[in-house]
Amino acid sequence: MKKALILTVMALAVFTSCKKEAMTTEPIQITPSPPKEAEIVEPAGDQCYAWKSNGNVIEMSFNVNSHQEVNGKLSYNLVGKDKNEGTLIGNMKGDTLIADYTFNSEGVSSVREVVFLQKNGAFVEGYGDVVDANNKVSFKDKSKLKFDAKNTLVKIDCKVE
């Protein structure tokens, strides 16, 4: 019985000594850092690009907002084909513009996915296998797109409309 009493007293002594030590320790000071200045990125205005070769013309103009959302216009005027022009709505993902191109050709409205790779201040259009689903033509696998540098849209001055 004495052993039990001695063990109990020792346990209480250890417990209370630890508790006192914890209470006398200075609380950790957490100093909040000042809030960062909000960075507001304004759209850079319209950016215009074109490719011209042997009477073929591709023109693209768009702006990008602070959320990397893109909206603009795209037109294709290729020799031997009907001209089509329409709107471009999508996103910049790193150096790649992925957008839906809604256009009219021969009086019919269509939607086609387009992908342009930004390289050295210009844009190169991507090509690859497509699927037609839900009235939209999309690429089967964007990771397998080919970018042909001969169809490079270079930066031009935007036309004043």
Side-chain angles (χ1 to χ4, degrees):
M1 177 103 145
K2 278 185 174 183
K3 286 183 182 180
L5 183 60
I6 291 173
L7 286 176
T8 305
V9 171
M10 286 178 56
L12 285 174
V14 169
F15 178 71
T16 54
S17 69
C18 289
K19 193 161 188 133
K20 284 181 187 175
E21 188 177 314
M23 290 177 138
T24 59
T25 305
E26 292 281 326
I28 298 172
Q29 294 293 325
I30 299 174
T31 308
S33 55
K36 291 183 180 179
E37 187 80 26
E39 185 178 334
I40 299 172
V41 180
E42 291 296 320
D46 281 342
Q47 300 177 44
C48 298
Y49 297 85
W51 170 78
K52 297 176 182 178
S53 176
N54 300 324
N56 296 302
V57 179
I58 300 173
E59 293 178 313
M60 176 171 66
S61 65
F62 62 87
N63 62 48
V64 182
N65 69 17
S66 60
H67 300 290
Q68 299 301 299
E69 297 167 334
V70 173
N71 67 42
K73 297 178 182 178
L74 180 62
S75 69
Y76 292 87
N77 191 359
L78 305 175
V79 175
K81 296 192 177 195
D82 288 330
K83 179 178 181 177
N84 61 61
E85 55 189 358
T87 59
L88 194 63
I89 298 174
N91 292 287
M92 285 299 297
K93 295 185 180 187
D95 61 356
T96 307
L97 167 61
I98 301 173
D100 285 343
Y101 171 49
T102 304
F103 63 97
N104 288 309
S105 181
E106 298 180 6
V108 176
S109 180
S110 303
V111 179
R112 176 171 69 88
E113 183 177 46
V114 292
V115 175
F116 290 90
L117 179 64
Q118 188 173 24
K119 217 172 181 185
N120 300 325
F123 280 90
V124 181
E125 187 169 7
Y127 298 93
D129 293 335
V130 294
V131 292
D132 190 351
N134 300 324
N135 297 321
K136 176 181 167 184
V137 176
S138 301
F139 291 109
K140 278 184 183 179
D141 185 353
K142 287 185 217 35
S143 68
K144 293 183 180 177
L145 292 179
K146 292 177 177 52
F147 296 90
D148 189 353
K150 74 177 184 179
N151 296 336
T152 300
L153 281 72
V154 295
K155 190 164 184 65
I156 60 168
D157 289 335
C158 294
K159 298 175 187 172
V160 178
E161 292 181 19

